[in-house]
Amino acid sequence: MIKTIRESFKITNGNIVIATPLIFFSLISSLYMIFSAAGNKIGFIFSVVLFFLMLGAFLSGWFFIIARAVKEPDVESNQLITEFPSGVGEYFLSAMGMVLQVIIIFTLIGVGVVILGKKIIGGVGISYGQLVQAASSVEATKAFVDSLNNEQLVKINMLNLLAFCSISLGYFVLMLYPAVIFFKEKNPFKAFFISLKDTFSHRFFKNAALFIFISFVYMIISLGTVLLGKNIILHFIFTLLNFYYITYSGILLCNYYYSNFIKIGSNIDATV
C-alpha cells in the first residue's frame, strides 16, 4: 500500500489540473446555494434538485479524468481537462444513481442512529425548539450547554460517539463505490454490491488501513483549518491544502482500486 500512496502523490503532482474542477464546483455551488436559499419552499426544493444535478455532472466528469490519469499516468494534463465533458456525457446517469444511493444509505444511518440512541442511550430531555434556539448564536449555544446537567452531557456525548461511528462506517462501506463505477461497472446499483464484495473481501484489513490513513490525515488538516482559521494567510494555505488533499484522496482511492482489484500483474481484470 505504501507504493500506491507514493504513486498517487506522483500522479497528483503531475496532474494537479485535476483539482481545478473541484475548486470551481466548490465555489459555484457555494454561491448558488447562498443566493438560492431565499425564497418560497417550492423554489428551495427546485434549487436543491438542481444542486444535486450539478453534483452529478461534477462527479461524473471529475472521476472520469481521475480514472484516466490512473490508467495512463503519462497522459498530458491539458488533455485530461478537455475530457471532462466526455465523462459527464458517459457517466452522468451513473453518478446520479450513486448520489441517490448515498443519500438513501446515510438517511437510513441517520434513522438507525436515532432509533438505537433512544433504545440504548435514552432520551436527553431536550426539545427541538431548544436546539433551534441554541443554534441561533454562539452566546445562545454557550448558555444552552451551561444549562445541561451531567447526565444530559454524558448522553449527548454518547449520541455524538454513536453518530460518529455510524457515519464513519458508512464512509468506509462506500469508500470503493466510485472506483467500481468508473473502472468496472457503470450500473450504480450493481456497482454498489460489487463495492461491498470488494470492501469485505480478503483485502478487508488493507482496505481498513487505507480508510484510516485517509481519514486521519483529513482530520489533521481540518483541525489545522479550524485552529488557524483566524489568520487569513494560514487559512488560505490550509484551504488550498484541503483542495489538494481531496484531489489526492480521489486519486489514491482510484489508484488503490485499480492496482488491487482491476490490474493483476500486467493483465486487466474487468470481471465482477
Side-chain angles (χ1 to χ4, degrees):
M1 191 171 72
I2 300 298
K3 180 182 177 182
T4 305
I5 291 174
R6 291 175 179 172
E7 286 179 349
S8 300
F9 269 118
K10 184 178 180 180
I11 295 172
T12 304
N13 295 332
N15 300 282
I16 197 62
V17 70
I18 293 175
T20 305
L22 174 64
I23 295 173
F24 273 108
F25 174 74
S26 299
L27 177 62
I28 293 172
S29 61
S30 297
L31 292 175
Y32 172 76
M33 292 306 293
I34 290 173
F35 288 111
S36 62
N40 55 38
K41 292 182 179 179
I42 296 177
F44 178 74
I45 293 173
F46 178 79
S47 299
V48 171
V49 171
L50 187 56
F51 168 77
F52 282 112
L53 292 174
M54 292 167 55
L55 177 62
F58 162 70
L59 291 175
S60 56
W62 196 56
F63 275 109
F64 180 79
I65 61 177
I66 286 178
R68 176 73 187 280
V70 167
K71 289 185 286 188
E72 302 176 38
D74 298 326
V75 67
E76 291 290 334
S77 295
N78 293 335
Q79 184 179 352
L80 274 180
I81 204 67
T82 58
E83 292 186 3
F84 185 92
S86 299
V88 177
E90 186 174 351
Y91 285 93
F92 177 73
L93 293 179
S94 300
M96 286 306 302
M98 179 177 67
V99 170
L100 178 61
Q101 288 268 87
V102 171
I103 292 174
I104 293 173
I105 289 170
F106 277 102
T107 299
L108 293 175
I109 288 175
V111 172
V113 168
V114 172
I115 295 174
L116 284 176
K118 287 182 178 180
K119 288 187 176 181
I120 298 175
I121 300 172
V124 183
I126 300 173
S127 65
Y128 176 76
Q130 288 177 298
L131 291 175
V132 173
Q133 185 178 358
S136 60
S137 65
V138 177
E139 292 75 15
T141 302
K142 291 181 178 179
F144 172 74
V145 173
D146 292 337
S147 67
L148 300 175
N149 56 45
N150 290 333
E151 183 181 357
Q152 287 177 314
L153 289 173
V154 170
K155 287 185 176 182
I156 289 176
N157 289 332
M158 292 177 67
L159 284 172
N160 288 335
L161 180 61
L162 176 62
F164 174 79
C165 293
S166 301
I167 293 173
S168 297
L169 178 61
Y171 280 127
F172 174 67
V173 168
L174 295 169
M175 180 177 68
L176 300 178
Y177 189 19
V180 173
I181 289 178
F182 288 85
F183 284 109
K184 187 171 283 188
E185 175 56 61
K186 288 184 180 180
N187 186 310
F189 305 103
K190 291 182 180 179
F192 173 69
F193 291 103
I194 295 171
S195 69
L196 286 180
K197 176 181 71 70
D198 292 339
T199 299
F200 295 95
S201 65
H202 63 282
R203 291 187 175 91
F204 171 80
F205 292 105
K206 193 174 182 180
N207 297 339
L210 178 68
F211 177 76
I212 292 172
F213 168 76
I214 293 175
S215 302
F216 179 73
V217 176
Y218 185 74
M219 287 176 64
I220 292 177
I221 295 174
S222 299
L223 183 61
T225 304
V226 172
L227 294 178
L228 303 174
K230 293 182 180 180
N231 186 301
I232 297 177
I233 297 176
L234 291 177
H235 181 73
F236 176 73
I237 292 174
F238 270 90
T239 299
L240 291 180
L241 181 61
N242 192 46
F243 281 122
Y244 174 85
Y245 187 70
I246 292 174
T247 303
Y248 169 74
S249 297
I251 292 174
L252 174 59
L253 285 172
C254 288
N255 191 29
Y256 171 82
Y257 189 79
Y258 184 70
S259 300
N260 290 274
F261 295 92
I262 301 295
K263 186 171 62 176
I264 302 175
S266 59
N267 299 319
I268 303 300
D269 176 24
T271 63
V272 298

